Amino acid sequence: MDKKVPEIFGSLVFNDAVMKEKLPKDIYLSLKKTIEEGKDLDINVANVVASAMKDWAIEKGATHFTHWFQPMTGITAEKHDSFISPLSDGKVIMEFSGKELIKGEPDASSFPSGGLRATFEARGYTAWDPTSYAFIKDNSLCIPTVFCSYSGEVLDKKTPLLRSMEVLSEQCCRILHMFGDTDVKRVVSTVGPEQEYFLIDKEVYLKRKDLRLTGRTLFGAKPPKGQELEDHYFGSIRPRVMKFMEELNQELWKLGILAKTEHNEVAPAQHEIAPIFANANIATDHNQLMMDIMKKVAERHGMVCLLHEKPFAGVNGSGKHNNWSLTTNTGVNLFNPGKNPAENKRFLLFLAAVIKAVDEHQDLLRLSAASAGNDHRLGANEAPPAIVSMFLGDELTSILESIEKGCAYNCVTAKSMNTGVHVLPDFKKDTTDRNRTSPFAFTGNKFEFRMLGSSFSVSGPNIVLNTIVADALSQFADRLEKASDLSKEVDEIVRETYSNHKRIIFNGNNYAKEWVEEAERRGLLNLVSTPDALPYFVSEKNINLFTKHKIFTKSEIISRCELLLENYCKIINIEALTMLDIVRKDILPAVYEYSNMLATEVKNKKEIGIDVSGDSEVAIIEKIGKLASILYKKADSLEKALIAAADHNSTTAEHAKYYKDAVLSEMQELRATADELETIVGAKYWPFPTYSDLLYSV
Ligand code: ADP
Ligand code: MG
């Protein structure tokens, strides 16, 4: 790439600058109104926009257009149509109408709906979301859209996110207006997702059926060298990876994605990329695009980008840190503690809202990070535990302590100032963000929700965050609107909230065993696995919450929960079947071959009169013979568990529990035996690349 970054940045995006340039002024202004105020788009305006978009896209080499949307599969979907329209003389013209821009009609029946489909028509609609810019990817003009069924049931991850942002903005404004910030018209939740991933060589990848079919290794003995030396973290980046990162950055910049930091992660072959934050809706689109492009660019470099949460046992898996904050349209970050005590009250009130929200809705935060893949990480001393708690740091905690006790800040910490008023010290970011074990950490001017898995759409967790904080703020606003003395009431709310919810604050080591016991004493939830967590989604409390704020309807919640549980069962089922296939078709035959070779050796020795008793060949034959029988039997019992799972006649929630309790444990046992065999059988006999081959392949 010889072009300068500012030149390529956003060059494939139909952004504000392009719109301004390409659209007639009145059309531009009317589109702006739609974007900023959510006004309906006039079809005449849409026609002009569509035509300008098409010309721009064709200029950039696009031949097709697609409505780009985010169904509940967790990945993005696109159906490409070409701009070509036939003329009567056998020629074609390139066309794109306002109608095609605004609305699409993909067949909804091939997308998961979690039961909604059964009762509603199969037809689905995609509708342009003008708040997210159109862009060009793979020679297609991609139009970000929302996706719903014929009868209006929401079938995607974007609509509820937009709704939750709307509700949160409304509640923030209520509060801010009472504080006199009447110039604030909108508050947006901002999100910066840090993304972890692995890169391995494509050649070795192709030889691993498990990686290809399930995204993770289902077998593999521990390599002699893993991550114990911790020499990979922030280590120098290898040239091949560097080239990948360079190209990835270029591709992301073209799409207007502000990829900024990149470094090696803890595990060998593991890396991280972080963008500059954007509003939650855009950040979600961008993170989806980023994951898609990471995979494609890796391919071009002869590598495979693994986004699974736990591709390798015994080395750290990959997560995604969801940095989240609130910013007003006037540019104020509401979680910036600042210096000014007058502003601090506002900060403390918003902080209190988050404390209340996280404590009251631990279940929702937990389940927003639940998946079969992420179950391998949470609580395994490489990621936060399954217990939701909040890190505030010592300074903030002592401030809240002193407010609760009704004394000056210096009554709690000896080191602080003695002015006698509740003054926040100028907040140093560096002093807060060094607790890496907390699932939900305050990091100076934002919160970092660290439980997400690497392959997640950030949509779900942000729907939850926005909604629960909006709910807490709405309760505060109700109280404040009735209060005669606003300032006093704010103090009282902050004090009360801290007092009632301080159990959620934990500044210690979340990986410690003692924390599990302590959390239990505090009455915090510990939802260890996905089947434990997901059923909370449909509790009365959560249905009330989401329906009250019109984020989901009751049937949407039930169907989404059903879908997630089904998905969990399917994943375990596929993994189990893949294991059986590998054991029977690859591992056992390899073991027999090795054993045969040894037997031939023994036979040859005997023929020339050598006494073989006590020879290593004989010992190994016996050892692997025993292990092979165990492996064979364990494969059978895994198969039985799967048959029983298929016959399991119960709710999806119970079904998922069965997979976790009965199937997953059989899988673990099968793996242990296979891995032991791997350490004995000769390298050239083993049917697939080992962990060393995989982790040091690039
Ligand atoms: P750290 O100091 O923890 O290394 P950074 O400040 O560089 O982190 O931020 C890490 C991530 O948090 C980045 O993706 C960044 O864009 C994001 N981030 C920073 N500020 C905000 C904010 N106000 N809202 C949302 N995300 C933010
Ligand atoms: Mg982080």
Side-chain angles (χ1 to χ4, degrees):
M1 257 302 164
D2 38 3
K3 279 198 189 161
K4 302 250 159 28
V5 177
E7 238 173 278
I8 63 163
F9 189 81
S11 61
L12 295 182
V13 184
F14 195 75
N15 56 24
D16 193 58
V18 180
M19 290 183 202
K20 212 169 188 165
E21 187 198 323
K22 306 276 178 193
L23 298 172
K25 193 149 183 231
D26 56 324
I27 301 286
Y28 169 75
L29 289 176
S30 134
L31 180 60
K32 265 308 252 199
K33 245 192 157 55
T34 300
I35 293 173
E36 279 163 12
E37 293 165 29
K39 295 254 157 30
D40 278 345
L41 194 64
D42 184 82
I43 185 70
N44 297 315
V45 174
N47 278 329
V48 181
V49 176
S51 170
M53 247 188 208
K54 177 208 68 184
D55 291 343
W56 168 83
I58 289 172
E59 220 173 87
K60 301 266 176 194
T63 51
H64 288 66
F65 70 92
T66 177
H67 276 201
W68 185 79
F69 57 104
Q70 302 175 23
M72 289 183 289
T73 52
I75 51 170
T76 52
E78 37 199 85
K79 174 178 157 256
H80 299 252
D81 284 300
S82 83
F83 289 125
I84 288 177
S85 189
L87 292 174
S88 52
D89 60 359
K91 296 199 172 128
V92 295
I93 51 164
M94 302 293 258
E95 266 188 345
F96 184 48
S97 69
K99 196 169 148 262
E100 286 170 308
L101 167 65
I102 296 179
K103 199 169 109 184
E105 288 189 35
D107 182 0
S109 62
S110 27
F111 292 101
S113 75
L116 286 179
R117 205 173 53 232
T119 39
F120 297 94
E121 232 196 289
R123 214 166 352 148
Y125 289 114
T126 51
W128 183 30
D129 161 25
T131 62
S132 182
Y133 299 133
F135 56 90
I136 295 173
K137 184 170 73 84
D138 305 329
N139 294 329
S140 275
L141 169 67
C142 298
I143 297 144
T145 55
V146 297
F147 181 44
C148 59
S149 76
Y150 178 68
S151 50
E153 302 274 349
V154 172
L155 295 175
D156 71 351
K157 296 192 172 225
K158 180 168 230 178
T159 316
L161 177 65
L162 289 169
R163 288 176 181 167
S164 72
M165 290 173 72
E166 217 38 65
V167 169
L168 181 55
S169 174
E170 216 173 282
Q171 298 305 331
C172 288
C173 287
R174 269 179 82 192
I175 302 259
L176 290 173
H177 292 171
M178 280 186 268
F179 271 86
D181 301 318
T182 44
D183 52 338
V184 175
K185 299 275 176 280
R186 259 186 102 78
V187 172
V188 294
S189 42
T190 50
V191 171
E194 298 164 69
Q195 175 76 50
E196 290 181 335
Y197 60 98
F198 281 85
L199 283 177
I200 62 167
D201 188 85
K202 180 134 190 221
E203 296 272 309
V204 283
Y205 169 84
L206 289 174
K207 293 184 187 137
R208 292 286 312 216
K209 208 184 275 175
D210 46 3
L211 274 179
R212 280 192 289 121
L213 296 182
T214 71
R216 74 175 179 109
T217 54
L218 300 167
F219 298 101
K222 205 172 154 350
K225 179 181 189 288
Q227 65 188 45
E228 47 282 277
L229 295 176
E230 300 192 334
D231 51 353
H232 192 254
Y233 191 48
F234 279 46
S236 81
I237 299 170
R238 277 181 300 284
R240 199 172 163 196
V241 175
M242 204 62 205
K243 284 214 176 83
F244 159 85
M245 287 178 172
E246 275 166 21
E247 192 179 325
L248 176 62
N249 279 340
Q250 301 278 348
E251 294 297 319
L252 294 174
W253 289 335
K254 283 187 215 165
L255 289 167
I257 299 172
L258 292 146
K260 199 164 162 251
T261 49
E262 53 203 24
H263 58 79
N264 285 355
E265 263 301 330
V266 179
Q270 194 184 29
H271 311 279
E272 183 187 292
I273 180 165
I276 295 176
F277 65 94
N279 97 34
N281 178 31
I282 307 286
T284 304
D285 283 6
H286 282 179
N287 186 248
Q288 293 298 122
L289 271 173
M290 186 186 260
M291 291 192 284
D292 187 12
I293 290 165
M294 283 163 79
K295 290 192 164 170
K296 286 185 177 144
V297 173
E299 288 266 335
R300 282 186 229 145
H301 290 258
M303 299 186 285
V304 175
C305 172
L306 304 176
L307 289 173
H308 193 282
E309 281 73 26
K310 193 72 180 175
F312 308 101
V315 291
N316 282 8
S318 301
K320 178 139 50 194
H321 291 176
N322 188 83
N323 293 275
W324 177 93
S325 190
L326 294 173
T327 306
T328 65
N329 64 318
T330 53
V332 177
N333 179 344
L334 295 173
F335 292 115
N336 192 348
K339 278 187 196 174
N340 187 336
E343 274 197 3
N344 288 344
K345 284 214 180 189
R346 189 182 69 189
F347 165 74
L348 288 172
L349 189 70
F350 278 92
L351 178 67
V354 179
I355 294 171
K356 174 176 159 74
V358 174
D359 185 36
E360 282 179 355
H361 303 286
Q362 298 160 41
D363 54 348
L364 283 177
L365 285 167
R366 168 65 185 94
L367 72 89
S368 79
S371 78
N374 216 21
D375 277 3
H376 300 290
R377 294 177 64 242
L378 298 180
N381 283 348
E382 59 173 276
I387 306 160
V388 173
S389 70
M390 215 170 150
F391 169 83
L392 289 185
D394 293 338
E395 284 180 292
L396 265 191
T397 308
S398 9
I399 288 161
L400 291 168
E401 276 293 314
S402 63
I403 290 172
E404 187 194 17
K405 295 197 169 66
C407 61
Y409 172 44
N410 64 354
C411 77
V412 182
T413 112
K415 272 181 286 167
S416 60
M417 59 203 80
N418 49 12
T419 52
V421 284
H422 302 183
V423 177
L424 277 180
D426 184 16
F427 225 81
K428 292 278 183 305
K429 229 172 128 189
D430 297 349
T431 63
T432 62
D433 180 24
R434 294 310 147 210
N435 183 322
R436 293 271 166 213
T437 65
S438 173
F440 198 91
F442 181 69
T443 52
N445 60 1
K446 63 185 192 293
F447 292 92
E448 191 170 342
F449 183 29
R450 299 197 180 114
M451 285 175 116
L452 282 63
S454 47
S455 69
F456 279 50
S457 158
V458 296
S459 163
N462 286 301
I463 293 171
V464 168
L465 259 173
N466 292 342
T467 310
I468 63 178
V469 174
D471 191 60
L473 287 171
S474 78
Q475 292 177 39
F476 290 176
D478 289 346
R479 262 180 80 171
L480 292 172
E481 275 163 4
K482 287 189 208 105
S484 52
D485 185 335
L486 185 81
S487 172
K488 247 194 177 150
E489 188 70 358
V490 170
D491 290 347
E492 185 48 27
I493 290 177
V494 172
R495 197 196 59 73
E496 233 180 76
T497 306
Y498 179 68
S499 189
N500 292 340
H501 298 287
K502 64 193 220 183
R503 63 171 186 171
I504 199 71
I505 293 161
F506 179 60
N507 295 329
N509 178 10
N510 282 257
Y511 294 180
K513 271 201 301 290
E514 297 75 34
W515 170 233
V516 179
E517 293 151 23
E518 166 68 15
E520 195 178 341
R521 273 195 297 276
R522 294 189 188 187
L524 299 179
L525 283 173
N526 184 2
L527 305 172
V528 177
S529 74
T530 298
D532 296 322
L534 282 177
Y536 280 79
F537 200 2
V538 293
S539 73
E540 202 184 326
K541 176 176 141 226
N542 289 330
I543 289 177
N544 288 342
L545 173 79
F546 285 121
T547 52
K548 174 180 163 200
H549 296 289
K550 303 197 165 53
I551 309 295
F552 294 120
T553 63
K554 185 175 174 183
S555 60
E556 282 168 5
I557 296 170
I558 292 170
S559 68
R560 261 160 218 254
C561 182
E562 195 67 11
L563 199 126
L564 291 164
L565 285 163
E566 263 172 26
N567 187 256
Y568 175 88
C569 298
K570 281 180 194 164
I571 286 171
I572 310 282
N573 199 54
I574 291 169
E575 288 181 349
L577 289 173
T578 306
M579 286 187 97
L580 287 179
D581 184 87
I582 291 173
V583 163
R584 289 170 177 166
K585 301 230 176 77
D586 303 321
I587 296 180
L588 282 174
V591 169
Y592 301 147
E593 208 181 320
Y594 184 56
S595 181
N596 268 342
M597 182 277 292
L598 293 173
T600 311
E601 286 291 297
V602 173
K603 193 168 144 240
N604 290 346
K605 278 190 184 175
K606 273 189 185 158
E607 268 172 19
I608 54 171
I610 296 175
D611 176 15
V612 294
S613 53
D615 273 12
S616 61
E617 293 95 324
V618 178
I620 295 173
I621 291 173
E622 276 176 18
K623 200 166 174 185
I624 61 177
K626 269 187 202 137
L627 281 171
S629 314
I630 296 173
L631 191 69
Y632 175 77
K633 279 187 201 126
K634 288 196 168 157
D636 274 357
S637 61
L638 174 58
E639 189 171 32
K640 281 200 191 89
L642 280 183
I643 291 168
D647 290 342
H648 211 256
N649 208 355
S650 60
T651 64
T652 319
E654 278 162 26
H655 205 195
K657 274 217 156 66
Y658 177 83
Y659 267 102
K660 186 201 124 212
D661 295 335
V663 179
L664 215 47
S665 51
E666 295 282 353
M667 285 164 62
Q668 273 151 3
E669 285 195 25
L670 186 65
R671 173 179 184 149
T673 310
D675 289 356
E676 198 179 340
L677 273 163
E678 186 194 314
T679 64
I680 307 168
V681 173
K684 71 173 193 195
Y685 292 84
W686 200 249
F688 40 76
T690 63
Y691 265 32
S692 295
D693 300 332
L694 293 166
L695 289 169
Y696 302 98
S697 63
V698 170

